[in-house]
Amino acid sequence: MKGDYQELVDEISALAGVPATLENRDFGLIAFGAHDSDDDLAMDPVRTRSILTRKSSPTVRAWFEAFGITRATGPVRIPASPDAGVFRGRICLPVRHRGMVLGYVWLLDDSAAGPAPARLDAAMEVTARIGDLLAEDVKADADLARELRAVLTAAHGWERDMALGALRTAVGPSAEGLHVVAGVVPWGGEEPPVRAVPGTAALCTLAAPGRDGRPAGVPAPEAEPVRATPALALLVRLRSADGLPAVRTALDRLRASARAAGGAGATAGVAAPRRGLAELPEAWHEAVGAARAAVARPGLGPVAEWTGIGPYRLLTRLPPEPDPAVAPLLGPAHTDLARTAESFLDHAGQAGRTAAALGIHRQTLYYRLSRIEHLTGLDLADGEDRLLLHMALKSARLRPGLGSAVS
């Protein structure tokens, strides 16, 4: 479809005799026409930013929308406003389909007369064809979101096989190519445009899976359901594994927008790349696990890769319930003891280094260690008890409400 949009934008540029740019209704760049002017001032910061970052700033968006472009059915002239960063005047051609605005074509024009009415009428006819294409894309994106969500939430067996078959058909020939699954947790609000991350084949919002591998909301036997956390899942095509840096950069922008929308603490995770779609559910668990690891250990994030989170690959798969022996240590009344135990184990049980790291006297450390043993019933001189305690403390960082006990 991208080539079709480019051809239509070039056609509008030729009809109007001025450079044209096409953006979706969220002001995300889709295509732009060539700019042949030798005048350096012909390009203003708004158009440059849109082309380089593929989006406009909220301030610029508010400025343009104040002229009623979301309601307009014909060309809207917008004057220059240096204070808003709009150094050149524009004509906005709303792109509609069945009355719904799906995007905007922007014509750079400072002249008093502007393009002749006949030229603008012809350009508006082209925007109608763009509207048809955008409507098809919106429907296709919705279908892909539905199929991706079905795969990621389906139970094992025939249900998952059917969902995978439907997704392969929807994605097309590239389904067997190299992909990576990514996630942003938590996610609030609507699904972003598919173009938010370059190469995205499909994205959807859904509940993040439980930490023990069960789909969100499915209880373990004789246990309470794991509280669902909203998440954004993305299936991204890769030409090669070298494409991951661009994916991380785009995910960081999505993570920042999730935070701005009220998703406090939002982090992003990236699964190990895979060929084909057969292992999508496993990849989704990896992406969510990496995102949660970035919360537990900020040095891994804000966009963490599954292959780079070390022991958290194991810890993210542990049950969400704390071990019974360690659970008493994780209450709010024992924050200092939990922090002391984790520091002691992080420093390989070396009392001198632990006391220095905590800024306490050795005798205070020994007193706290004895209380930890009494509270948990664990022997800190026993290797397996130390392992159990260390894993439980690190795992607690991954569980909302318990991470503060060891932070």
Side-chain angles (χ1 to χ4, degrees):
M1 287 289 188
K2 184 176 180 180
D4 296 332
Y5 289 126
Q6 188 61 59
E7 290 177 5
L8 292 171
V9 168
D10 289 342
E11 183 177 345
I12 289 176
S13 294
L15 284 170
V18 293
T21 302
L22 171 62
E23 295 180 334
N24 62 24
R25 60 187 169 195
D26 296 316
F27 286 63
L29 180 68
I30 298 175
F32 59 92
H35 200 128
D36 297 328
S37 174
D38 293 328
D39 182 4
D40 290 339
L41 296 178
M43 286 287 285
D44 74 348
V46 170
R47 190 170 197 263
T48 302
R49 175 190 169 95
S50 177
I51 293 173
L52 293 180
T53 67
R54 311 196 72 81
K55 63 180 180 180
S56 295
S57 70
T59 301
V60 169
R61 177 173 177 169
W63 166 258
F64 287 139
E65 289 182 342
F67 286 86
I69 61 174
T70 60
R71 303 181 301 276
T73 57
V76 177
R77 180 172 287 279
I78 300 175
S81 174
D83 291 342
V86 183
F87 287 9
R88 296 200 60 192
R90 283 164 169 72
I91 298 174
C92 175
L93 307 181
V95 179
R96 292 184 174 273
H97 179 79
R98 296 183 177 178
M100 180 180 294
V101 64
L102 298 179
Y104 307 101
V105 172
W106 301 98
L107 306 177
L108 283 181
D109 182 66
D110 286 319
S111 62
R119 285 176 174 260
L120 289 180
D121 289 343
M124 283 299 297
E125 291 179 4
V126 180
T127 66
R129 287 150 56 194
I130 294 175
D132 293 339
L133 284 180
L134 283 174
E136 291 178 15
D137 276 357
V138 169
K139 182 179 183 303
D141 291 348
D143 291 343
L144 282 165
R146 183 183 65 248
E147 304 299 352
L148 178 61
R149 187 180 296 109
V151 171
L152 299 184
T153 58
H156 289 282
W158 65 269
E159 182 181 352
R160 180 173 293 179
D161 292 340
M162 289 184 62
L164 277 169
L167 182 61
R168 286 193 183 98
T169 300
V171 171
S174 65
E176 298 310 313
L178 187 65
H179 292 83
V180 69
V181 174
V184 181
V185 185
W187 181 264
E190 300 179 353
E191 293 171 356
V194 169
R195 296 176 184 82
V197 174
T200 298
L203 58 78
C204 67
T205 53
L206 72 168
R211 278 193 30 225
D212 56 355
R214 297 187 301 273
V218 177
E222 301 180 1
E224 293 295 325
V226 178
R227 185 168 60 181
T229 301
L232 174 71
L234 305 98
L235 174 64
V236 184
R237 303 183 188 94
L238 292 177
R239 293 184 179 179
S240 69
D242 294 339
L244 281 177
V247 173
R248 287 198 302 269
T249 299
L251 282 173
D252 195 26
R253 288 199 297 266
L254 278 178
R255 179 199 62 82
S257 66
R259 284 175 174 257
T267 55
V270 183
R274 290 169 167 81
R275 289 198 174 275
L277 307 181
E279 298 181 11
L280 280 187
E282 173 66 16
W284 174 230
H285 282 276
E286 291 180 3
V288 172
R292 285 177 168 149
V295 175
R297 187 179 168 192
L300 296 171
V303 179
E305 294 184 35
W306 176 256
T307 55
I309 63 175
Y312 286 97
R313 289 196 294 271
L314 174 62
L315 295 173
T316 56
R317 296 182 181 275
L318 294 179
E321 300 81 12
D323 183 86
V326 184
L329 190 62
L330 298 176
H334 301 299
T335 301
D336 285 343
L337 293 183
R339 186 181 297 112
T340 298
E342 185 177 23
S343 182
F344 179 70
L345 296 167
D346 284 346
H347 290 93
Q350 297 182 28
R353 292 176 59 196
T354 304
L358 294 173
I360 60 177
H361 194 277
R362 278 201 186 200
Q363 290 304 316
T364 302
L365 173 63
Y366 293 140
Y367 170 71
R368 289 184 182 180
L369 295 178
S370 67
R371 288 191 62 199
I372 291 166
E373 290 182 322
H374 177 75
L375 192 64
T376 62
L378 300 175
D379 181 2
L380 294 181
D382 182 88
E384 291 189 355
D385 280 3
R386 288 199 306 271
L387 177 61
L388 171 62
L389 179 58
H390 209 181
M391 291 178 65
L393 291 169
K394 293 297 184 185
S395 181
R397 290 185 174 275
L398 299 167
R399 185 180 180 189
L402 285 184
S404 59
V406 291
S407 61

Short mmCIF file of all heavy atoms in Angstrom, two decimals, residues 152-216:
data_model
loop_
_atom_site.label_atom_id
_atom_site.label_comp_id
_atom_site.label_asym_id
_atom_site.label_seq_id
_atom_site.Cartn_x
_atom_site.Cartn_y
_atom_site.Cartn_z
N LEU A 152 -2.31 -15.22 20.74
CA LEU A 152 -1.62 -15.01 22.01
C LEU A 152 -2.46 -15.42 23.21
O LEU A 152 -1.91 -15.61 24.30
CB LEU A 152 -1.20 -13.54 22.14
CG LEU A 152 -0.24 -13.02 21.07
CD1 LEU A 152 0.16 -11.59 21.37
CD2 LEU A 152 1.00 -13.91 20.95
N THR A 153 -3.76 -15.55 23.04
CA THR A 153 -4.62 -15.90 24.18
C THR A 153 -5.21 -17.30 24.06
O THR A 153 -5.86 -17.77 24.99
CB THR A 153 -5.77 -14.89 24.32
OG1 THR A 153 -6.52 -14.85 23.11
CG2 THR A 153 -5.23 -13.50 24.62
N ALA A 154 -5.00 -17.98 22.93
CA ALA A 154 -5.61 -19.29 22.72
C ALA A 154 -4.95 -20.35 23.60
O ALA A 154 -3.76 -20.28 23.90
CB ALA A 154 -5.51 -19.69 21.25
N ALA A 155 -5.74 -21.33 23.99
CA ALA A 155 -5.20 -22.47 24.72
C ALA A 155 -4.44 -23.37 23.75
O ALA A 155 -4.56 -23.25 22.53
CB ALA A 155 -6.34 -23.24 25.37
N HIS A 156 -3.63 -24.28 24.29
CA HIS A 156 -2.90 -25.22 23.45
C HIS A 156 -3.88 -26.11 22.68
O HIS A 156 -5.03 -26.29 23.09
CB HIS A 156 -1.98 -26.11 24.31
CG HIS A 156 -0.82 -25.37 24.88
ND1 HIS A 156 0.30 -25.05 24.14
CD2 HIS A 156 -0.60 -24.89 26.13
CE1 HIS A 156 1.16 -24.40 24.91
NE2 HIS A 156 0.63 -24.29 26.12
N GLY A 157 -3.41 -26.68 21.57
CA GLY A 157 -4.23 -27.63 20.83
C GLY A 157 -4.86 -27.02 19.59
O GLY A 157 -4.34 -26.09 18.99
N TRP A 158 -6.03 -27.56 19.23
CA TRP A 158 -6.65 -27.18 17.97
C TRP A 158 -7.02 -25.70 17.94
O TRP A 158 -6.97 -25.06 16.89
CB TRP A 158 -7.90 -28.02 17.75
CG TRP A 158 -8.99 -27.79 18.76
CD1 TRP A 158 -9.18 -28.44 19.92
CD2 TRP A 158 -10.02 -26.80 18.67
NE1 TRP A 158 -10.28 -27.93 20.59
CE2 TRP A 158 -10.81 -26.93 19.84
CE3 TRP A 158 -10.37 -25.83 17.73
CZ2 TRP A 158 -11.91 -26.12 20.09
CZ3 TRP A 158 -11.47 -25.02 17.99
CH2 TRP A 158 -12.24 -25.17 19.16
N GLU A 159 -7.36 -25.13 19.12
CA GLU A 159 -7.74 -23.71 19.14
C GLU A 159 -6.57 -22.83 18.71
O GLU A 159 -6.73 -21.90 17.89
CB GLU A 159 -8.21 -23.33 20.54
CG GLU A 159 -8.68 -21.89 20.66
CD GLU A 159 -9.11 -21.53 22.07
OE1 GLU A 159 -9.20 -22.44 22.93
OE2 GLU A 159 -9.34 -20.33 22.32
N ARG A 160 -5.39 -23.12 19.24
CA ARG A 160 -4.21 -22.34 18.86
C ARG A 160 -3.83 -22.60 17.41
O ARG A 160 -3.44 -21.68 16.68
CB ARG A 160 -3.04 -22.68 19.78
CG ARG A 160 -1.77 -21.90 19.43
CD ARG A 160 -0.68 -22.11 20.47
NE ARG A 160 -1.05 -21.51 21.74
CZ ARG A 160 -0.27 -21.56 22.83
NH1 ARG A 160 0.88 -22.21 22.79
NH2 ARG A 160 -0.67 -20.98 23.95
N ASP A 161 -3.94 -23.84 16.95
CA ASP A 161 -3.59 -24.17 15.56
C ASP A 161 -4.48 -23.40 14.59
O ASP A 161 -4.01 -22.88 13.57
CB ASP A 161 -3.73 -25.68 15.32
CG ASP A 161 -2.67 -26.48 16.07
OD1 ASP A 161 -1.64 -25.89 16.45
OD2 ASP A 161 -2.89 -27.69 16.26
N MET A 162 -5.77 -23.32 14.90
CA MET A 162 -6.68 -22.58 14.03
C MET A 162 -6.36 -21.09 14.02
O MET A 162 -6.37 -20.43 12.97
CB MET A 162 -8.13 -22.80 14.48
CG MET A 162 -8.67 -24.19 14.23
SD MET A 162 -10.42 -24.33 14.68
CE MET A 162 -11.18 -23.15 13.57
N ALA A 163 -6.04 -20.55 15.20
CA ALA A 163 -5.70 -19.12 15.29
C ALA A 163 -4.41 -18.82 14.51
O ALA A 163 -4.32 -17.81 13.81
CB ALA A 163 -5.54 -18.71 16.75
N LEU A 164 -3.43 -19.71 14.63
CA LEU A 164 -2.17 -19.52 13.89
C LEU A 164 -2.41 -19.57 12.38
O LEU A 164 -1.83 -18.78 11.62
CB LEU A 164 -1.16 -20.59 14.28
CG LEU A 164 -0.35 -20.32 15.55
CD1 LEU A 164 0.41 -21.57 15.98
CD2 LEU A 164 0.61 -19.16 15.34
N GLY A 165 -3.27 -20.49 11.95
CA GLY A 165 -3.57 -20.59 10.52
C GLY A 165 -4.21 -19.31 10.00
O GLY A 165 -3.86 -18.82 8.91
N ALA A 166 -5.13 -18.76 10.78
CA ALA A 166 -5.80 -17.52 10.36
C ALA A 166 -4.81 -16.36 10.31
O ALA A 166 -4.86 -15.52 9.40
CB ALA A 166 -6.95 -17.21 11.31
N LEU A 167 -3.89 -16.29 11.29
CA LEU A 167 -2.91 -15.20 11.30
C LEU A 167 -1.94 -15.33 10.13
O LEU A 167 -1.59 -14.33 9.50
CB LEU A 167 -2.15 -15.19 12.63
CG LEU A 167 -1.12 -14.07 12.79
CD1 LEU A 167 -1.79 -12.70 12.72
CD2 LEU A 167 -0.36 -14.20 14.10
N ARG A 168 -1.51 -16.55 9.84
CA ARG A 168 -0.60 -16.74 8.69
C ARG A 168 -1.26 -16.26 7.41
O ARG A 168 -0.62 -15.60 6.58
CB ARG A 168 -0.23 -18.22 8.56
CG ARG A 168 0.76 -18.73 9.59
CD ARG A 168 1.29 -20.11 9.17
NE ARG A 168 2.17 -20.65 10.18
CZ ARG A 168 1.79 -21.53 11.11
NH1 ARG A 168 0.53 -21.95 11.15
NH2 ARG A 168 2.66 -21.99 11.99
N THR A 169 -2.53 -16.58 7.24
CA THR A 169 -3.24 -16.13 6.04
C THR A 169 -3.34 -14.62 5.99
O THR A 169 -3.14 -14.00 4.93
CB THR A 169 -4.65 -16.75 6.02
OG1 THR A 169 -4.55 -18.18 6.02
CG2 THR A 169 -5.42 -16.31 4.78
N ALA A 170 -3.62 -14.00 7.14
CA ALA A 170 -3.76 -12.54 7.18
C ALA A 170 -2.44 -11.83 6.93
O ALA A 170 -2.40 -10.79 6.27
CB ALA A 170 -4.35 -12.12 8.53
N VAL A 171 -1.34 -12.37 7.46
CA VAL A 171 -0.03 -11.74 7.30
C VAL A 171 0.48 -11.90 5.87
O VAL A 171 1.14 -11.02 5.32
CB VAL A 171 0.98 -12.31 8.31
CG1 VAL A 171 2.40 -11.83 8.01
CG2 VAL A 171 0.58 -11.89 9.73
N GLY A 172 0.19 -13.06 5.26
CA GLY A 172 0.62 -13.28 3.88
C GLY A 172 1.96 -13.97 3.77
O GLY A 172 2.44 -14.61 4.71
N PRO A 173 2.62 -13.84 2.61
CA PRO A 173 3.87 -14.57 2.35
C PRO A 173 4.99 -14.32 3.36
O PRO A 173 5.85 -15.17 3.56
CB PRO A 173 4.27 -14.07 0.95
CG PRO A 173 3.00 -13.60 0.33
CD PRO A 173 2.19 -13.05 1.45
N SER A 174 4.98 -13.14 3.97
CA SER A 174 6.08 -12.83 4.90
C SER A 174 5.94 -13.55 6.24
O SER A 174 6.80 -13.42 7.10
CB SER A 174 6.13 -11.32 5.16
OG SER A 174 4.95 -10.88 5.83
N ALA A 175 4.86 -14.33 6.41
CA ALA A 175 4.61 -14.98 7.70
C ALA A 175 5.75 -15.92 8.11
O ALA A 175 5.99 -16.11 9.30
CB ALA A 175 3.29 -15.75 7.66
N GLU A 176 6.42 -16.50 7.16
CA GLU A 176 7.50 -17.45 7.48
C GLU A 176 8.86 -16.77 7.59
O GLU A 176 9.87 -17.45 7.74
CB GLU A 176 7.55 -18.57 6.44
CG GLU A 176 6.27 -19.41 6.39
CD GLU A 176 5.84 -19.89 7.76
OE1 GLU A 176 6.70 -20.41 8.51
OE2 GLU A 176 4.64 -19.75 8.09
N GLY A 177 8.91 -15.46 7.49
CA GLY A 177 10.16 -14.74 7.60
C GLY A 177 10.58 -14.52 9.05
O GLY A 177 9.98 -15.06 9.99
N LEU A 178 11.62 -13.71 9.24
CA LEU A 178 12.15 -13.41 10.57
C LEU A 178 11.27 -12.36 11.24
O LEU A 178 10.97 -11.32 10.67
CB LEU A 178 13.59 -12.90 10.46
CG LEU A 178 14.35 -12.68 11.77
CD1 LEU A 178 14.56 -13.99 12.50
CD2 LEU A 178 15.70 -12.01 11.49
N HIS A 179 10.83 -12.66 12.47
CA HIS A 179 9.98 -11.76 13.24
C HIS A 179 10.51 -11.61 14.65
O HIS A 179 11.28 -12.44 15.13
CB HIS A 179 8.53 -12.30 13.33
CG HIS A 179 7.79 -12.31 12.04
ND1 HIS A 179 7.91 -13.34 11.14
CD2 HIS A 179 6.91 -11.42 11.49
CE1 HIS A 179 7.13 -13.09 10.09
NE2 HIS A 179 6.52 -11.94 10.30
N VAL A 180 10.05 -10.57 15.31
CA VAL A 180 10.30 -10.42 16.74
C VAL A 180 9.00 -9.95 17.39
O VAL A 180 8.24 -9.17 16.79
CB VAL A 180 11.45 -9.43 17.03
CG1 VAL A 180 11.06 -8.01 16.67
CG2 VAL A 180 11.88 -9.51 18.48
N VAL A 181 8.71 -10.48 18.55
CA VAL A 181 7.54 -10.06 19.32
C VAL A 181 7.99 -9.10 20.40
O VAL A 181 9.00 -9.35 21.08
CB VAL A 181 6.82 -11.27 19.94
CG1 VAL A 181 5.68 -10.81 20.86
CG2 VAL A 181 6.26 -12.17 18.84
N ALA A 182 7.29 -8.01 20.56
CA ALA A 182 7.63 -7.01 21.58
C ALA A 182 6.37 -6.66 22.36
O ALA A 182 5.24 -6.88 21.90
CB ALA A 182 8.21 -5.76 20.92
N GLY A 183 6.57 -6.12 23.55
CA GLY A 183 5.43 -5.74 24.37
C GLY A 183 5.72 -4.50 25.20
O GLY A 183 6.88 -4.25 25.56
N VAL A 184 4.68 -3.72 25.48
CA VAL A 184 4.76 -2.59 26.40
C VAL A 184 3.79 -2.86 27.54
O VAL A 184 2.60 -3.11 27.29
CB VAL A 184 4.41 -1.26 25.71
CG1 VAL A 184 4.52 -0.09 26.69
CG2 VAL A 184 5.32 -1.02 24.50
N VAL A 185 4.30 -2.85 28.78
CA VAL A 185 3.50 -3.20 29.96
C VAL A 185 3.74 -2.16 31.06
O VAL A 185 4.91 -1.90 31.38
CB VAL A 185 3.87 -4.60 30.48
CG1 VAL A 185 2.96 -5.00 31.63
CG2 VAL A 185 3.83 -5.64 29.37
N PRO A 186 2.70 -1.59 31.68
CA PRO A 186 1.29 -1.67 31.26
C PRO A 186 1.01 -0.72 30.12
O PRO A 186 1.77 0.20 29.86
CB PRO A 186 0.55 -1.24 32.53
CG PRO A 186 1.48 -0.25 33.17
CD PRO A 186 2.86 -0.79 32.92
N TRP A 187 -0.12 -0.96 29.44
CA TRP A 187 -0.54 -0.11 28.34
C TRP A 187 -1.93 0.43 28.64
O TRP A 187 -2.80 -0.32 29.05
CB TRP A 187 -0.56 -0.88 27.02
CG TRP A 187 -0.97 -0.01 25.87
CD1 TRP A 187 -2.21 0.12 25.33
CD2 TRP A 187 -0.12 0.89 25.14
NE1 TRP A 187 -2.19 1.03 24.30
CE2 TRP A 187 -0.92 1.52 24.17
CE3 TRP A 187 1.23 1.21 25.22
CZ2 TRP A 187 -0.41 2.46 23.27
CZ3 TRP A 187 1.74 2.15 24.33
CH2 TRP A 187 0.93 2.76 23.38
N GLY A 188 -2.13 1.72 28.41
CA GLY A 188 -3.44 2.31 28.61
C GLY A 188 -3.90 3.00 27.34
O GLY A 188 -3.09 3.44 26.53
N GLY A 189 -5.18 3.08 27.15
CA GLY A 189 -5.72 3.79 25.99
C GLY A 189 -5.88 2.90 24.78
O GLY A 189 -5.87 1.67 24.86
N GLU A 190 -6.02 3.53 23.62
CA GLU A 190 -6.28 2.82 22.38
C GLU A 190 -5.01 2.25 21.78
O GLU A 190 -3.89 2.62 22.15
CB GLU A 190 -6.95 3.76 21.37
CG GLU A 190 -8.28 4.33 21.84
CD GLU A 190 -8.89 5.27 20.83
OE1 GLU A 190 -8.20 5.58 19.82
OE2 GLU A 190 -10.02 5.71 21.03
N GLU A 191 -5.21 1.35 20.81
CA GLU A 191 -4.07 0.80 20.08
C GLU A 191 -3.45 1.88 19.21
O GLU A 191 -4.18 2.63 18.55
CB GLU A 191 -4.51 -0.38 19.22
CG GLU A 191 -4.97 -1.58 20.03
CD GLU A 191 -5.60 -2.67 19.16
OE1 GLU A 191 -5.73 -2.43 17.95
OE2 GLU A 191 -5.97 -3.72 19.70
N PRO A 192 -2.13 1.99 19.19
CA PRO A 192 -1.49 2.99 18.33
C PRO A 192 -1.52 2.55 16.87
O PRO A 192 -1.86 1.39 16.59
CB PRO A 192 -0.05 3.00 18.87
CG PRO A 192 0.16 1.61 19.36
CD PRO A 192 -1.16 1.17 19.92
N PRO A 193 -1.19 3.43 15.93
CA PRO A 193 -1.13 3.01 14.53
C PRO A 193 -0.09 1.92 14.34
O PRO A 193 0.92 1.86 15.04
CB PRO A 193 -0.71 4.29 13.79
CG PRO A 193 -1.00 5.41 14.74
CD PRO A 193 -0.85 4.84 16.11
N VAL A 194 -0.34 1.02 13.38
CA VAL A 194 0.61 -0.06 13.10
C VAL A 194 1.97 0.51 12.74
O VAL A 194 3.01 -0.08 13.05
CB VAL A 194 0.06 -0.95 11.97
CG1 VAL A 194 1.14 -1.92 11.48
CG2 VAL A 194 -1.15 -1.73 12.45
N ARG A 195 1.99 1.69 12.12
CA ARG A 195 3.26 2.27 11.70
C ARG A 195 4.06 2.86 12.86
O ARG A 195 5.14 3.41 12.66
CB ARG A 195 3.01 3.38 10.66
CG ARG A 195 2.38 2.87 9.37
CD ARG A 195 2.06 4.01 8.42
NE ARG A 195 1.37 3.54 7.23
CZ ARG A 195 0.07 3.29 7.18
NH1 ARG A 195 -0.67 3.49 8.25
NH2 ARG A 195 -0.49 2.85 6.08
N ALA A 196 3.57 2.73 14.09
CA ALA A 196 4.29 3.28 15.23
C ALA A 196 5.66 2.66 15.40
O ALA A 196 6.59 3.29 15.90
CB ALA A 196 3.47 3.09 16.51
N VAL A 197 5.81 1.41 14.99
CA VAL A 197 7.10 0.73 15.01
C VAL A 197 7.37 0.23 13.59
O VAL A 197 6.56 -0.51 13.04
CB VAL A 197 7.12 -0.46 15.99
CG1 VAL A 197 8.43 -1.23 15.89
CG2 VAL A 197 6.92 0.03 17.43
N PRO A 198 8.49 0.64 12.98
CA PRO A 198 8.76 0.24 11.60
C PRO A 198 8.73 -1.28 11.44
O PRO A 198 9.27 -2.01 12.26
CB PRO A 198 10.18 0.79 11.35
CG PRO A 198 10.33 1.91 12.32
CD PRO A 198 9.55 1.50 13.52
N GLY A 199 8.07 -1.73 10.37
CA GLY A 199 8.04 -3.16 10.08
C GLY A 199 6.96 -3.93 10.81
O GLY A 199 6.87 -5.15 10.66
N THR A 200 6.10 -3.25 11.59
CA THR A 200 5.08 -3.96 12.35
C THR A 200 4.08 -4.63 11.41
O THR A 200 3.49 -3.98 10.55
CB THR A 200 4.33 -3.01 13.30
OG1 THR A 200 5.26 -2.47 14.24
CG2 THR A 200 3.25 -3.75 14.05
N ALA A 201 3.91 -5.94 11.58
CA ALA A 201 2.93 -6.68 10.80
C ALA A 201 1.56 -6.63 11.46
O ALA A 201 0.53 -6.61 10.79
CB ALA A 201 3.38 -8.13 10.64
N ALA A 202 1.54 -6.63 12.80
CA ALA A 202 0.28 -6.60 13.54
C ALA A 202 0.56 -6.17 14.96
O ALA A 202 1.65 -6.39 15.49
CB ALA A 202 -0.39 -7.97 13.52
N LEU A 203 -0.45 -5.55 15.58
CA LEU A 203 -0.36 -5.22 16.99
C LEU A 203 -1.75 -5.29 17.60
O LEU A 203 -2.76 -5.21 16.91
CB LEU A 203 0.28 -3.85 17.23
CG LEU A 203 -0.34 -2.59 16.61
CD1 LEU A 203 -1.55 -2.11 17.38
CD2 LEU A 203 0.70 -1.48 16.54
N CYS A 204 -1.79 -5.49 18.91
CA CYS A 204 -3.08 -5.56 19.59
C CYS A 204 -2.89 -5.26 21.07
O CYS A 204 -1.77 -5.34 21.59
CB CYS A 204 -3.72 -6.95 19.42
SG CYS A 204 -2.82 -8.29 20.26
N THR A 205 -3.96 -4.89 21.72
CA THR A 205 -3.95 -4.74 23.17
C THR A 205 -4.61 -5.97 23.78
O THR A 205 -5.58 -6.50 23.22
CB THR A 205 -4.70 -3.48 23.61
OG1 THR A 205 -6.01 -3.48 23.03
CG2 THR A 205 -3.96 -2.23 23.15
N LEU A 206 -4.10 -6.40 24.92
CA LEU A 206 -4.62 -7.58 25.60
C LEU A 206 -4.08 -7.59 27.01
O LEU A 206 -3.27 -6.74 27.40
CB LEU A 206 -4.25 -8.87 24.87
CG LEU A 206 -2.79 -9.36 24.93
CD1 LEU A 206 -2.70 -10.78 24.42
CD2 LEU A 206 -1.86 -8.46 24.16
N ALA A 207 -4.53 -8.56 27.79
CA ALA A 207 -4.02 -8.70 29.14
C ALA A 207 -2.71 -9.46 29.10
O ALA A 207 -2.58 -10.47 28.39
CB ALA A 207 -5.03 -9.45 30.01
N ALA A 208 -1.72 -8.97 29.84
CA ALA A 208 -0.43 -9.66 29.89
C ALA A 208 -0.62 -11.02 30.55
O ALA A 208 -1.46 -11.19 31.43
CB ALA A 208 0.58 -8.83 30.68
N PRO A 209 0.15 -12.03 30.12
CA PRO A 209 0.01 -13.36 30.71
C PRO A 209 0.45 -13.39 32.16
O PRO A 209 1.25 -12.57 32.60
CB PRO A 209 0.91 -14.23 29.83
CG PRO A 209 1.93 -13.28 29.29
CD PRO A 209 1.19 -11.98 29.10
N GLY A 210 -0.07 -14.36 32.92
CA GLY A 210 0.37 -14.54 34.30
C GLY A 210 1.82 -14.97 34.33
O GLY A 210 2.34 -15.55 33.38
N ARG A 211 2.50 -14.71 35.45
CA ARG A 211 3.93 -14.99 35.53
C ARG A 211 4.26 -16.47 35.56
O ARG A 211 5.40 -16.86 35.37
CB ARG A 211 4.52 -14.33 36.78
CG ARG A 211 4.84 -12.89 36.56
CD ARG A 211 5.70 -12.33 37.66
NE ARG A 211 6.57 -13.30 38.24
CZ ARG A 211 6.76 -13.43 39.55
NH1 ARG A 211 6.09 -12.67 40.38
NH2 ARG A 211 7.60 -14.30 40.02
N ASP A 212 3.26 -17.33 35.75
CA ASP A 212 3.57 -18.75 35.77
C ASP A 212 3.27 -19.40 34.42
O ASP A 212 3.28 -20.62 34.30
CB ASP A 212 2.76 -19.46 36.86
CG ASP A 212 1.26 -19.22 36.70
OD1 ASP A 212 0.89 -18.44 35.80
OD2 ASP A 212 0.49 -19.82 37.46
N GLY A 213 3.00 -18.58 33.40
CA GLY A 213 2.79 -19.13 32.07
C GLY A 213 1.33 -19.33 31.71
O GLY A 213 1.01 -19.63 30.57
N ARG A 214 0.40 -19.18 32.66
CA ARG A 214 -1.01 -19.31 32.34
C ARG A 214 -1.47 -18.03 31.65
O ARG A 214 -0.97 -16.95 31.94
CB ARG A 214 -1.86 -19.51 33.61
CG ARG A 214 -1.56 -20.78 34.36
CD ARG A 214 -2.56 -20.97 35.49
NE ARG A 214 -2.55 -19.89 36.45
CZ ARG A 214 -1.74 -19.83 37.50
NH1 ARG A 214 -0.87 -20.80 37.71
NH2 ARG A 214 -1.78 -18.81 38.35
N PRO A 215 -2.46 -18.17 30.74
CA PRO A 215 -3.05 -16.94 30.20
C PRO A 215 -3.61 -16.09 31.33
O PRO A 215 -4.01 -16.61 32.36
CB PRO A 215 -4.18 -17.46 29.28
CG PRO A 215 -3.77 -18.85 28.94
CD PRO A 215 -3.05 -19.37 30.17
N ALA A 216 -3.62 -14.77 31.14
CA ALA A 216 -4.08 -13.87 32.19
C ALA A 216 -5.50 -14.22 32.60
O ALA A 216 -6.36 -14.50 31.77
CB ALA A 216 -4.02 -12.42 31.71
#
